[in-house]
Amino acid sequence: QVQLVESGGGLVQAGGSLRLSCVASGSILGLASFNVMAWYRQAPGKQRELVATIANGGSTEYRDSVKGRFTASRDNAKNSVFLQMDSLKAEDTAVYFCNAPISNSGDYYFNWGQGTQVTVSS
């Protein structure tokens, strides 16, 4: 069974940085089989939202509120995706998850992992 394990979260002051990691473990063809990997976040009392996507080949997209501050990357050989978060703001506080969205379906290839908590103090 494939599991996604997110890590790297923590408590940081506004303006600080964190680097999140997501590793896919278990029986898996390899992350290269999934063209698009994505990072999501869910703040207390809010719906999960898309933060960033990264495709094989390295093209990325970001939600407007994180553009210029967050950088997504992936290492298919290590079945891993990363999210470098700089200039963090209090509104970035959330649990962060990774997954592989199924295009045009609203569904995902993997079950959701536990996520990693990011808390930004102002």
Side-chain angles (χ1 to χ4, degrees), residues 52-96:
T53 63
I54 178 163
N56 281 327
S59 61
T60 53
E61 294 187 1
Y62 302 92
R63 68 182 303 108
D64 287 346
S65 62
V66 308
K67 284 180 180 177
R69 300 188 298 119
F70 289 12
T71 303
S73 60
R74 63 193 291 170
D75 185 341
N76 288 339
K78 296 182 179 180
N79 285 333
S80 297
V81 293
F82 308 97
L83 186 67
Q84 176 67 39
M85 305 188 298
D86 299 317
S87 302
L88 282 161
K89 303 177 181 180
E91 50 263 44
D92 296 319
T93 295
V95 180
Y96 284 71

